Amino acid sequence: MVFTVDIPVRWVDTDALRVVHYSNYFRYVEAAEEELYLSLGFTFKELNERHKIAIPRVEAFCSFKAPARFGDIVTVTLRVDDRTEKTMKYSFKIHRKSDSESLCTGYLKIIGLDLVDWKATALPPDIMDRVEKALE
Amino acid sequence: MVFTVDIPVRWVDTDALRVVHYSNYFRYVEAAEEELYLSLGFTFKELNERHKIAIPRVEAFCSFKAPARFGDIVTVTLRVDDRTEKTMKYSFKIHRKSDSESLCTGYLKIIGLDLVDWKATALPPDIMDRVEKALE
Amino acid sequence: MVFTVDIPVRWVDTDALRVVHYSNYFRYVEAAEEELYLSLGFTFKELNERHKIAIPRVEAFCSFKAPARFGDIVTVTLRVDDRTEKTMKYSFKIHRKSDSESLCTGYLKIIGLDLVDWKATALPPDIMDRVEKALE
Amino acid sequence: MVFTVDIPVRWVDTDALRVVHYSNYFRYVEAAEEELYLSLGFTFKELNERHKIAIPRVEAFCSFKAPARFGDIVTVTLRVDDRTEKTMKYSFKIHRKSDSESLCTGYLKIIGLDLVDWKATALPPDIMDRVEKALE
């Protein structure tokens, strides 16, 4: 199982080459991650406020194959790639919805961060179980 | 007296019309405001943490005359337009540095916000005196 | 008749005050404008490529009343406020979907821009008729 | 030899965790790349318009170690890591200027893109020689 979200390219996402600026693909992936968590019933905010944990990215990688343009809808697909006690690695693919052309692929690795002492900590296992179950 | 800051247009600031996206002029003005405060020896952060005050915008207006493009350096000029106990209104002008062409003009009105109860509050008078003195 | 769009606040839209950065409300309004045009069957891109016209903003104003936060869905409402041969003025309101709290109100004035000589020109009347009819 | 640029963290760059949003480090690196090219006497724009070449990113990677916050100045360091006829790989490091704490490291690989047929093409060797010479 994977999680997919459709995201319309906004005018402001484009640059003077008339394509989406590469940094915005990372933002599309984060939007997909936010929607994933919402679909499972929790948010970054609850992690912060209830669990006193944040989940910053420790690694981000993307390989760009073709550009998205204004007017495109891009589809982001997330999958769990690897999981440890403290980290979760998501692989992602983004394709253009209209013709399924692959635009980019990559991964994000998140880590549990204890907001009291700002040190690495275990990701909440019940939440990550739900994520893993939803994505595998 | 006015406060001026030069800001290089970044590639990511442009859009598919090959000009700076209009929302970014507001960001340039905010960068100038940040540099103004720094030049006077304080930051948003200190206002937040020491004074428990934030200074959100309550009004923003801009009239756009000509576009900036990648490669331009834009000059932001700030001036105090009006001041009350709780608000400060800055007028701004942005021109292209190379040929002095006027790009846009507008204003921002900021308000003191008490971060304990999230209600409007007086702006710290000593700080605003310094700002006003620097800009008039 | 008005046009409304729901937009989820993204984490990246927030700032260190834990609220949406004010410049992003202008981006939410533009997203609504893009969805409006799509719903009527055209895009900025087609205006650019077929009509050789762009529709840059000549004025933007916003009055901010309350902050949106991560986790909120904001609803943008667009209405035609005024129309001339070369300009169209949209008024907008943004409220939080969950409790209908008003977050901000303002307007945008767009102008027809001839992409051949970069001078002001008439907005395509057939397209603007459709917009006006949809919004009034 | 390396190329370094100091960049002040802007308020808008931060997110609700009160740290710089991770996507913005890629934007800081691009700002450094723009300044590098400027220091060598050319711009993305000239590449586009004179050489009919763009230099999109084909790969981007970043490992995040510590967060930057509002008020920080970050120093971006660029180095040429690898060069082929069509690609150039820059490695980058970002540290906080005040205490030299390492914030992140990564790389970007750019490719020559022929703007006539949108296919991969050789990077202009004279320009890349200048870049390589400046960075090694």
Side-chain angles (χ1 to χ4, degrees), chain B residues 7 22 38 49 55-56 62 69 76 87 90 98 100 106 122 129:
Chain B
I7 299 175
Y22 86 102
L38 265 181
E49 291 172 8
I55 47 171
C62 191
R69 292 186 170 81
V76 182
T87 67
Y90 295 106
S98 61
S100 299
D129 285 351

Side-chain angles (χ1 to χ4, degrees), chain C residues 11-12 14-19 21 23-24 27 70, chain D residues 11-12 14-19 21 23-24 27 70:
Chain C
W11 183 259
V12 71
T14 61
D15 64 25
L17 201 57
R18 305 186 66 91
V19 299
H21 189 266
S23 63
N24 290 324
R27 298 185 173 190
F70 180 71
Chain D
W11 183 259
V12 71
T14 61
D15 64 26
L17 201 56
R18 305 186 66 93
V19 299
H21 189 266
S23 64
N24 290 323
R27 297 184 174 192
F70 181 72

Side-chain angles (χ1 to χ4, degrees), chain C residues 21 101 123 125 127 136:
Chain C
H21 189 266
E101 182 171 5
L123 291 164
I127 289 180
E136 279 181 342

Side-chain angles (χ1 to χ4, degrees), chain D residues 3-124:
Chain D
F3 185 76
T4 63
V5 179
D6 288 342
I7 299 175
V9 170
R10 298 300 176 194
W11 183 259
V12 71
D13 299 342
T14 61
D15 64 26
L17 201 56
R18 305 186 66 93
V19 299
V20 170
H21 189 266
Y22 86 101
S23 64
N24 290 323
Y25 295 100
F26 289 109
R27 297 184 174 192
Y28 295 159
V29 173
E30 188 163 275
E33 192 188 344
E34 292 170 8
E35 292 298 321
L36 166 68
Y37 297 154
L38 266 181
S39 76
L40 297 174
F42 67 96
T43 68
F44 284 178
K45 202 169 165 175
E46 286 170 29
L47 276 177
N48 296 174
E49 292 172 9
R50 195 172 320 160
H51 296 265
K52 305 294 176 202
I53 282 175
I55 46 170
R57 280 85 254 271
V58 281
E59 284 183 26
F61 171 75
C62 191
S63 166
F64 305 95
K65 297 167 197 324
R69 293 187 169 81
F70 181 72
D72 290 343
I73 293 173
V74 298
T75 304
V76 182
T77 303
L78 290 181
R79 193 184 289 273
V80 169
D81 203 28
D82 190 37
R83 181 182 167 185
T84 68
E85 192 201 5
K86 294 183 183 173
T87 66
M88 181 77 102
K89 186 175 165 189
Y90 295 108
S91 62
F92 63 82
K93 294 184 186 185
I94 303 182
H95 67 266
R96 188 185 297 113
K97 194 179 186 187
S98 60
D99 63 1
S100 299
E101 183 171 5
S102 176
L103 303 176
C104 57
T105 59
Y107 71 85
L108 285 179
K109 192 191 281 189
I110 64 171
I111 194 167
L113 179 77
D114 185 318
L115 287 174
V116 179
D117 62 8
W118 281 74
K119 294 211 168 132
T121 190
L123 291 164

